[in-house]
C-alpha cells in the first residue's frame, strides 16, 4: 500500500515547464494554430485522417469488386451454381470477408471466392457460400483446395464462410481455377 511520489522543485521545475511549453509551441506551429487551440485542431485532423482512411478502404473495396473493364464478367456458371472468383491487390486481408459478403449479396445465390495478394507476395483466400447452397457446397472444402495451390495448409471456418492463406500469391489464378474445378466436381 505504499505509494511513491516524484516531484520537481526550483530550477528543475522551471526548466521542465519551459521545455514542455516549448514543445507545445512547436506543435502549435506545425498545426498552424494558436497554442490554446492546438488540442481542438489536432483532434479535427485526426478525425479527418480516420475519415479519409475509411474512404480509401471503401474505394479499394469497390475497385476490387468492380474490377477493370478488361476483366469482363467475373461471374460464371459452374455446375448450375453461380461462381464469382477474383484475385485482388491493395485490399487488406481483414477486408476479404467483407468483400465476400458483398459478393454473396450481389449474387443472391452462389459461391464467392476472393484471393487477396499482399505486397509481400503472400495471399489470403476467402470463400463464401450463400445460405441456400450450404447443404450441398462446403466453403471449408473449397478454401482448402485454393489454399493448397497458394502453398498453404488447411484453412477453416463454417460451411458458409471460410478463409485460409498461403505464401505464394503468384498462384492466385491457379488457386481460383482449383476452386472452380472443385465446385464443378460437385
Amino acid at each position: 500500500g505504499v505509494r511513491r511520489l516524484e516531484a520537481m522543485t526550483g530550477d528543475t521545475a522551471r526548466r521542465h515547464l519551459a521545455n514542455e511549453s516549448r514543445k507545445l509551441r512547436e506543435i502549435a506551429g506545425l498545426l498552424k494554430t494558436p497554442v490554446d487551440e492546438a488540442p481542438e485542431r489536432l483532434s479535427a485532423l485526426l478525425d479527418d485522417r480516420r475519415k479519409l482512411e475509411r474512404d480509401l478502404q471503401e474505394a479499394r473495396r469497390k475497385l476490387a469488386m468492380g474490377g477493370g473493364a478488361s476483366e469482363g464478367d467475373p461471374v460464371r456458371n459452374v455446375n448450375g451454381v453461380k461462381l464469382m472468383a477474383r484475385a485482388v491487390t491493395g485490399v487488406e486481408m481483414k477486408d476479404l470477408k467483407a468483400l465476400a459478403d458483398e459478393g454473396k449479396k450481389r449474387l443472391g445465390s452462389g459461391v464467392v471466392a476472393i484471393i487477396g495478394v499482399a505486397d509481400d507476395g503472400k495471399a489470403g483466400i476467402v470463400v463464401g457460400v450463400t445460405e441456400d447452397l450450404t447443404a450441398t457446397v462446403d466453403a471449408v472444402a473449397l478454401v482448402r483446395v485454393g489454399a493448397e495451390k497458394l502453398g498453404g495448409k488447411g484453412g477453416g471456418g463454417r460451411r458458409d464462410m471460410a478463409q485460409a492463406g498461403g505464401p505464394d500469391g503468384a498462384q492466385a489464378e491457379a488457386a481460383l481455377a482449383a476452386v472452380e474445378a472443385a465446385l464443378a466436381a460437385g
Side-chain angles (χ1 to χ4, degrees), residues 58-69:
E58 186 61 31
R60 284 181 173 165
R61 223 180 261 143
K62 284 181 181 174
L63 180 65
M65 291 309 287

Side-chain angles (χ1 to χ4, degrees), residues 149-166:
K149 289 289 183 187
L150 296 172
K153 294 185 174 83
R158 304 177 313 267
R159 288 188 68 85
D160 67 325
M161 183 72 73
Q163 70 180 29

Side-chain angles (χ1 to χ4, degrees), residues 64-135:
M65 291 309 287
S70 63
E71 289 183 40
D73 188 14
V75 179
R76 294 183 289 285
N77 194 322
V78 179
N79 203 17
V81 175
K82 286 191 240 174
L83 171 67
M84 178 188 286
R86 295 196 87 103
V88 298
T89 56
V91 178
E92 292 187 34
M93 296 302 158
K94 63 183 174 78
D95 294 329
L96 290 179
K97 278 188 175 181
L99 285 176
D101 282 336
E102 187 178 321
K104 286 184 349 181
K105 285 179 192 167
R106 201 181 278 185
L107 285 178
S109 173
V111 176
V112 178
I114 299 179
I115 296 178
V117 181
D119 294 335
D120 62 1
K122 294 180 181 177
I125 180 172
V126 173
V127 174
V129 177
T130 56
E131 288 295 324
D132 61 321
L133 298 175
T134 54

